[in-house]
Amino acid sequence: QDVADVSSVRKQLGMPQKLAGCHVAKVGDYVIEGHVPAEDVKRLLAEKPRAIGIAVPSMPPGSPGMPSDKPSHFDTLLVMTDGSYKVFSHH
């Protein structure tokens, strides 16, 4: 669903603005922010951690939907309910 103001939706869902990508979605009870690999979403749903969701901030070259001749390494972050975060997976 397209929305006029992604930032306000992100805020409403509890995802910190500093972890913003260009997309935000709700999957089950979790928020998915940015160009997150499908395997990370599947793992999140299987493990069911106590968290807001997962995020790939910015738009790293080589992340899903961001093809690149020079892909970069990036991390998917697990965003905790207090707004802190830690690395969920390395890519």
Side-chain angles (χ1 to χ4, degrees):
Q1 175 182 348
D2 288 333
V3 295
D5 184 7
V6 176
S7 293
S8 66
V9 172
R10 183 179 295 114
K11 184 177 180 178
Q12 178 185 0
L13 294 173
M15 182 60 68
Q17 185 64 32
K18 66 183 176 186
L19 301 179
C22 59
H23 307 286
V24 64
K26 183 92 174 180
V27 177
D29 293 331
Y30 296 104
V31 179
I32 311 300
E33 175 68 43
H35 292 260
V36 176
E39 64 264 19
D40 291 346
V41 176
K42 291 175 186 176
R43 179 178 157 209
L44 177 74
L45 295 174
E47 292 181 6
K48 298 181 171 104
R50 191 169 181 186
I52 292 170
I54 52 180
V56 173
S58 187
M59 299 185 305
S63 62
M66 296 298 297
S68 174
D69 291 336
K70 295 182 180 181
S72 63
H73 294 282
F74 65 93
D75 292 329
T76 299
L77 306 174
L78 179 66
V79 184
M80 310 312 289
T81 56
D82 66 359
S84 65
Y85 55 91
K86 60 185 179 182
V87 173
F88 186 70
S89 62
H90 299 285
H91 299 278

